[in-house]
Amino acid sequence: MQLILTHENADFDAVASQLAASKLFPEGVPLLPRRINRNVNQFLTLYWDALPFVRPSDWKRRRVDEVALVDTQSLSSVRGLTQNPQVQVIDHHQARRQHDGWTYQLAQVGATTTMLVEMIAEAGCSLSSEEATLLLLGVYEDTGSLTYGATTPRDARAAAFLLEHGARLDVARRFLNVALTPGQRTLFAALQTAVAWHTVKGQTIAITTAAAPDDFDDEISSIAHRLRDTLAAAALFVLVQIREDVQLVARSASHHVDVSQIARALGGGGHSRAAAALIVKQTTAAVLDQLHAALPQSVKPMLSVAQIMSYGVQTIAPDVTVAQAAALMRRHGHEGYPVFDPKAGQLVGLLTRRSVDRAMSHELSHLPISRIMRAGSVTVRPSDSVERVQQLMMDESWGQIPVVADDAQSSKPIGVVTRTDVLNALFHPPQASPEPDMRQLMTGAFPPALWGMTLAISETAAALNMPLYFVGGLARDLLLDKRPADLDMVVEGDAIQLARRLQRQFGGNVHTHTRFGTAKWFVTADIWQAIETQYPQSQAVSTSSGGDFPLPSAIDFVTARSEFYTRPSALPEVAQGSIKLDLHRRDFTINTLAVRLDGAHLGELLDFYGGRRDLEKGLIRALHSLSFIDDPTRILRAARLEQRLGFRIEQRTAELIETALPILDRVTGDRIRHEIELAFHEEAPARMLSRLAELGVMAQIHPALAWSAEIAAAFDRVTALAAHPIWGELAPAAERPFLYFALWLLPLTVGEQTAVTNRLKVRKSTREDIFAVGRLLDSLTKLPPQPMPSQVEKALRPSPPRALLVARIGLEDEEQTRLIDQYYTEWRHVKTAVTGDDLRAMGLKPGPRFAVLLDKLLAARLDGEAADEAGERALLAVLLKG
């Protein structure tokens, strides 16, 4: 037979899980544990007749060869249990050591009951009101009525299902808030008085101990619940001496503290937010020592200001006018500025957009901002905790707080932390996957010389106290295990100064653009060799052969900047900014990842905008709702990136694309053409153009533009023909964008081709060759059914070679492709023996008649009417007589 078992000191989740399992396994017997929490026992006493449970005292020994373990992974001893029963575990706790032969159903949800309710819903099992209420109690107790941090949407859906099936909230409320017994109240008071506070890695931990009276026989979990609600601690550990044993009950309010690690170390179990252990024949003092020893391993490092702040804060002087401040806010999109007095060298206040807007509405634009700013000096340091920032924001009502250096003597800001930064840190769920080792990924992808160059630049940037980052596609491609295609470096500081310092150290030339703060360092082979020699550790560390990663001849350094679009689709104006602002100007979240490189920070991954999350989900997500309005060419880039990576455009991003399509009309043709040409350079251009058609981009460029299976098949033939022994010479990689472009426009009329090429500002030579393809195809259709070689040669002679290739790829008619092949391989090489010089030597005067005669001679040669020079001269004599 089958038993359904759970853990001792059973709470509502444990007993409700037994009930749910009995609905799913009708042959199973839900045998209650010996110890049940008081509020659970009260519920069972009241509703016993409506429930299927068996008490331990009523259990008659029978052979048990199957067990369903719910809300636990430990099998307790039961009379009749065979030596190796079949065991199925259903639990929401993290898996510990798994037993061979057991089956496990584990899920990251707030309550085990949730998992079983989902199975009940799927199986279509019926529930009485009493059963639905008990199941609801199981969900509510373990999720704090859906308020605990471990609660998931699945828990909420399970609760909704139970309410729809008769669960009674008034009953649930009564049993979730049971008053403490006199003995529990006495113990609660003792524990509350004995609370000791500890700070571990920035987290506030409450630990309390007490001895229970000799006659104490109540559960401690309800006392721990009350203490947790009373104490504002990140985690609470309750140790109670009960005769010779110690009962541990632990609760966590932060994902930074995993109380289950402590419980497991003491022989118990649970999950990260709630755990317990019974330590037999020990004293609270001895267990307390073990708790203190294990505590550091259960606490994750706390988020610090340095991890979420933006460096390179822009400040504003107190004598700037309200009108000037309003213009700055419109230009850069800032919600406020720290006000810094350069004469006093002190922070004197904070200017908010709201204050500026109110002053402008009251026609006070001429006032200095010192008259409307929020005066004061509220700052934090990089080493401060995020919780401290949160408290300061609540206490001082500042939506952004300047950050000063840890060792600074003045209040001059080095950065800023905003309300949005804090909200993201506190409420965005931590990344499910472990933090990637970017340093290891770089050494695995970079050849030794490039890794040595990275180390050299890292040291130089650190010496100049300039944060330096790899940005763009490099971090993305490393995380996707793809070879990086670029090496963009962004500097928080002065990129030109950094490049000049590298030039003085290693040589080479530097070209700068002062207006944009950019520098290009030209690196010779000798410099690469010198750096590889100077950094021998790069040889030992780098695991890449470097064969498929060519060393660049120049390295670009860009000062971190922000962008401002004066109008939709215009090119942006730029200003110096922080790395966070620099990343915010990028197109998609997966392109906002950055790897810090300077000094000890080498290998740190920055992910302000959820790039890793979207990489793991395979999503192309726009960074903000105006992204495609600011730059509509990002629509084409979204499709290109989606198809290259095998991702999909996120739903909201697709909606933003649809809204922004008409703005493409404002974009210059050469910018759109450039994006299309980049698509033609991809491995699968057909997929990308098909996606552009689906998104409505083609029709927006010109109504006649479309995509079809015939064009897609022609695109596929480009690659095949590139390997052709003769045609392949006309299809090198550099020529393929033209081939794809011409094939794309092939179905259009001449008028439509003209309109499209004009819209896209196509170069004259490209346009003429596209039109030549049309004339060539028209000439082929005018040939007789079985044309002579001379007729084919005359029809195809005006066509440039790449127009011939486009026609050859685009045609599916075997006879027409045969004629083009034969013309290109044979007939175009046929020449007459008689030349124009021979005609002049015969006394003929040069003129149009020369071309007529030579054409007739060539036709005769092609058609076999003249086999050699003698035959040509004989024909010429006849022609001259005529």
Side-chain angles (χ1 to χ4, degrees), residues 420-472:
T420 301
D421 297 330
V422 173
L423 291 175
N424 286 338
L426 293 178
F427 295 108
H428 278 197
Q431 198 77 23
S433 59
E435 189 74 16
D437 187 339
M438 299 305 295
R439 186 169 183 143
Q440 183 176 359
L441 290 176
M442 285 189 288
T443 58
F446 292 179
L450 185 56
W451 181 239
M453 177 66 79
T454 303
L455 296 176
I457 298 174
S458 168
E459 288 183 5
T460 305
L464 293 172
N465 198 26
M466 290 185 188
L468 176 70
Y469 308 88
F470 274 140
V471 298

Side-chain angles (χ1 to χ4, degrees), residues 191 194-198 205-209 231 235-239 288 291-292 295:
L191 289 167
V195 169
W197 294 91
H198 304 268
I205 311 294
I207 301 175
T208 183
T209 64
L231 307 171
L236 168 69
F237 293 91
V238 176
L239 295 173
L288 193 60
L291 171 60
H292 283 301
L295 196 54

Side-chain angles (χ1 to χ4, degrees), residues 709-725:
E710 291 75 19
I711 303 176
F715 270 46
D716 291 340
R717 291 195 290 271
V718 171
T719 305
L721 218 59
H724 193 277

Side-chain angles (χ1 to χ4, degrees), residues 566-588:
T566 57
R567 63 183 188 280
S569 78
L571 292 174
E573 297 179 10
V574 298
Q576 186 170 343
S578 65
I579 183 61
K580 189 171 183 180
L581 291 174
D582 188 278
L583 295 173
H584 189 264
R585 69 186 178 83
R586 297 175 188 274
D587 45 15
F588 308 111

Side-chain angles (χ1 to χ4, degrees), residues 254-513:
S254 168
H255 65 264
H256 290 286
V257 185
D258 183 354
V259 295
S260 68
Q261 290 190 27
I262 299 287
R264 286 198 295 271
L266 296 172
H271 55 88
S272 62
R273 298 301 180 99
L278 180 65
I279 306 97
V280 297
K281 299 188 182 303
Q282 289 269 20
T283 64
T284 53
V287 175
L288 193 60
D289 288 341
Q290 298 175 56
L291 171 60
H292 283 301
L295 196 54
Q297 286 71 47
S298 71
V299 181
K300 298 177 184 176
M302 196 172 187
L303 271 179
S304 67
V305 170
Q307 293 173 274
I308 67 170
M309 65 180 282
S310 296
Y311 289 86
V313 63
Q314 295 182 356
T315 61
I316 194 168
D319 56 357
V320 170
T321 68
V322 171
Q324 291 170 324
L328 284 171
M329 287 179 173
R330 284 195 303 271
R331 180 182 184 86
H332 298 294
H334 293 340
E335 292 298 317
Y337 284 97
V339 183
F340 185 79
D341 188 344
K343 296 177 183 177
Q346 292 295 322
L347 183 75
V348 295
L350 176 72
L351 181 69
T352 66
R353 181 183 285 274
R354 183 180 181 186
S355 299
V356 170
D357 290 344
R358 291 181 64 185
M360 293 292 288
S361 68
H362 291 296
E363 299 182 354
L364 300 176
S365 61
H366 60 285
L367 289 180
I369 62 168
S370 59
R371 297 279 297 276
I372 68 166
M373 72 182 186
R374 185 172 293 158
S377 180
V378 179
T379 62
V380 292
R381 299 181 183 273
S383 58
D384 285 338
S385 69
V386 172
E387 277 75 6
R388 170 168 164 73
V389 179
Q390 183 186 24
Q391 192 62 48
L392 277 175
M393 287 180 171
M394 291 188 294
D395 293 344
E396 304 294 338
S397 297
W398 282 36
Q400 52 180 288
I401 297 182
V403 183
V404 298
D406 282 318
D407 56 354
Q409 301 301 312
S410 76
S411 59
K412 182 175 177 59
I414 61 169
V416 68
V417 59
T418 68
R419 185 182 288 111
T420 301
D421 297 330
V422 173
L423 291 175
N424 286 338
L426 293 178
F427 295 108
H428 278 197
Q431 198 77 23
S433 59
E435 189 74 16
D437 187 339
M438 299 305 295
R439 186 169 183 143
Q440 183 176 359
L441 290 176
M442 285 189 288
T443 58
F446 292 179
L450 185 56
W451 181 239
M453 177 66 79
T454 303
L455 296 176
I457 298 174
S458 168
E459 288 183 5
T460 305
L464 293 172
N465 198 26
M466 290 185 188
L468 176 70
Y469 308 88
F470 274 140
V471 298
L474 184 139
R476 178 198 71 213
D477 292 340
L478 285 174
L479 290 170
L480 292 174
D481 197 24
K482 296 178 180 291
R483 185 178 71 84
D486 52 36
L487 294 174
D488 296 336
M489 288 192 176
V490 170
V491 184
E492 277 188 316
D494 188 339
I496 295 175
Q497 181 186 359
L498 175 60
R500 294 288 190 202
R501 175 69 69 89
L502 290 166
Q503 180 189 26
R504 288 197 297 273
Q505 287 180 254
F506 302 105
N509 294 315
V510 171
H511 292 179
T512 63
H513 197 309

Side-chain angles (χ1 to χ4, degrees), residues 763-785:
R763 289 174 288 273
K764 182 181 178 181
S765 60
T766 300
R767 195 164 52 241
E768 289 177 347
D769 283 355
I770 288 172
F771 295 153
V773 177
R775 292 192 296 270
L776 185 158
L777 294 175
D778 187 57
S779 297
L780 282 175
T781 61
K782 293 178 180 178
L783 290 173

Side-chain angles (χ1 to χ4, degrees), residues 203-222:
Q203 298 289 334
T204 304
I205 311 294
I207 301 175
T208 183
T209 64
D214 290 340
D215 59 348
F216 184 82
D217 197 30
D218 285 315
E219 84 274 359
I220 299 170
S221 59
S222 56

